[in-house]
Amino acid sequence: MVGTVTVIAAGGMFVVKHHQRATNQYFKSLLSTSNHALSKIGYSVLPRGQLLHGASKTPIRKLNLRDAFTSVALKGDNRSGKTIFLANTILNDMFPWWYRYFFPPRGLFLTGTQKPLTIDAWLKSQITTTEKDDPWANMMDLLGQRYDEQRVRLLLHKVFKNHLPQLLQPQPSIIVVDQAEELMKAFRGDFLVAFYNLAKKGRDTDLFRLVMVINTDNAENALKLTNGGNMFTVIEAPKVSRESVVERYDEKFAQIFDDCDSCIGVALDYQRSVAEGQTMNPKEYAAIRKEKYSRDNCLMVEISRDEFLKAGEHFQK
């Protein structure tokens, strides 16, 4: 009996160890193909994935990243845990740990920023360059290379179609644009045109799935300007629950979480600020930080249809 228990325990440790390794390998694989690094942005699995343990599977089912031909915008408040949900729930749910370990999917993890002067300059700062000057063409080349790597899968899928096991089906690359609303705020119509064209290529070629992380109704309304609103599916990200915060941290931090309007990112920011000597109470801190996040990172002025169309005319010249 003792020997049996030991074997089971050892097996459990093996599973956990390889689950963690596979998860990290998944995110490393988002950054490279066999021959090229896709992204310059370093990214590792977030340690707080269990904060969304027990979260509703409805957003995951709606995302349907394996088969959908529409791109996705994941929407939620600033610092509310959207990236945690995306990284540790959606992507992990799509690909079991053993699958990520042996057959890691590929893609791009890009981060929005308002520092570059143009949307093209932003993309150049994010991806590895090839011989082409156009960064969007570079990205399609890299994604095309990923497509070429799957010729056996594509041939099998052509022959067996839906009867082919998931293990052997071709995988689209996944492009994640975190903090996409910062780009929308900075580049407005140019952002919409560039990402409309990218989403259209994803739909037409089936090379990749595009997932953008946004915060506000203004951003959602802007996406509706593209193709009559049919290009993007907007999914509400679930909130981090108090129960999972207590389980992951403790009751004391859960009270800070409550005072910070149940916003996990703001609560963690507050905890760090207290350690650095800040004396403001959490409710006041949260109100100031959320106002600053909205002012600095969110699309405060809606993008009009005329602005979008004018940017499209400029893009075509």
Side-chain angles (χ1 to χ4, degrees):
M1 178 65 71
V2 173
T4 303
V5 172
T6 302
V7 169
I8 292 173
M13 289 173 65
F14 176 85
V15 169
V16 170
K17 175 183 176 183
H18 284 276
H19 172 82
Q20 293 171 343
R21 187 189 303 170
T23 301
N24 280 284
Q25 184 171 343
Y26 172 82
F27 286 103
K28 289 177 182 176
S29 75
L30 278 179
L31 308 180
S32 65
T33 67
S34 295
N35 300 322
H36 290 90
L38 283 173
S39 175
K40 295 178 181 178
I41 305 302
Y43 193 78
S44 58
V45 66
L46 296 167
R48 301 189 299 274
Q50 59 267 55
L51 285 174
L52 286 150
H53 179 71
S56 170
K57 297 291 184 180
T58 301
I60 300 173
R61 288 194 294 270
K62 286 183 178 179
L63 277 167
N64 194 22
L65 292 178
R66 291 193 188 94
D67 307 313
F69 283 88
T70 56
S71 296
V72 171
L74 187 67
K75 178 184 174 186
D77 293 339
N78 267 306
R79 308 287 286 141
S80 63
K82 300 183 296 299
T83 308
I84 296 174
F85 175 65
L86 178 63
N88 292 278
T89 304
I90 294 176
L91 299 179
N92 286 355
D93 187 80
M94 284 174 59
F95 304 104
W97 72 267
W98 55 268
Y99 192 83
R100 296 194 304 274
Y101 186 73
F102 292 105
F103 307 98
R106 307 287 186 183
L108 292 138
F109 196 100
L110 309 176
T111 304
T113 174
Q114 300 176 51
K115 292 180 181 178
L117 296 178
T118 66
I119 190 70
D120 287 356
W122 164 77
L123 186 59
K124 284 182 180 179
S125 74
Q126 298 278 308
I127 66 170
T128 297
T129 56
T130 63
E131 66 278 2
K132 295 182 179 177
D133 292 331
D134 180 3
W136 303 94
N138 282 337
M139 183 163 63
M140 293 306 298
D141 285 349
L142 293 168
L143 294 169
Q145 181 192 100
R146 173 55 184 154
Y147 179 89
D148 293 340
E149 290 176 348
Q150 300 186 89
R151 291 201 180 279
V152 173
R153 290 175 186 261
L154 292 165
L155 177 61
L156 290 172
H157 189 256
K158 184 176 181 179
V159 174
F160 297 102
K161 300 192 182 299
N162 294 331
H163 299 292
L164 193 68
Q166 181 66 41
L167 179 70
L168 299 176
Q169 291 181 16
Q171 302 169 359
S173 298
I174 298 173
I175 303 175
V176 176
V177 186
D178 199 15
Q179 302 167 22
E181 191 158 339
E182 286 202 40
L183 297 174
M184 198 179 296
K185 176 183 175 70
F187 306 119
R188 299 182 63 80
D190 289 344
F191 168 92
L192 288 182
V193 172
F195 277 89
Y196 165 76
N197 288 324
L198 183 63
K200 186 173 184 296
K201 288 178 181 176
R203 181 195 65 188
D204 294 346
T205 65
D206 201 27
L207 283 178
F208 61 89
R209 306 285 181 257
L210 175 62
V211 184
M212 299 194 302
V213 181
I214 62 173
N215 306 311
T216 65
D217 291 341
N218 282 350
E220 179 178 351
N221 292 335
L223 294 177
K224 290 178 180 178
L225 296 173
T226 62
N227 197 36
N230 296 321
M231 192 62 72
F232 291 90
T233 298
V234 179
I235 307 295
E236 293 281 348
K239 300 283 188 179
V240 172
S241 70
R242 190 183 197 280
E243 292 75 16
S244 61
V245 171
V246 172
E247 182 179 351
R248 174 64 178 83
Y249 296 97
D250 53 32
E251 183 62 41
K252 182 179 179 180
F253 181 78
Q255 185 57 55
I256 294 174
F257 173 75
D258 291 341
D259 292 340
C260 290
D261 199 23
S262 300
C263 187
I264 186 64
V266 175
L268 290 167
D269 290 345
Y270 175 78
Q271 190 179 53
R272 283 189 290 268
S273 72
V274 170
E276 294 169 358
Q278 188 274 134
T279 58
M280 193 180 302
N281 71 58
K283 289 184 179 180
E284 292 175 341
Y285 178 88
I288 292 172
R289 292 295 288 181
K290 292 183 79 171
E291 182 182 359
K292 184 179 188 304
Y293 291 143
S294 295
R295 183 179 65 248
D296 294 347
N297 305 325
C298 294
L299 186 67
M300 304 300 288
V301 179
E302 284 198 13
I303 300 173
S304 68
R305 182 165 186 79
D306 287 344
E307 188 175 358
F308 169 56
L309 294 175
K310 186 177 293 186
E313 292 172 0
H314 176 75
F315 190 86
Q316 292 172 0
K317 291 180 181 179

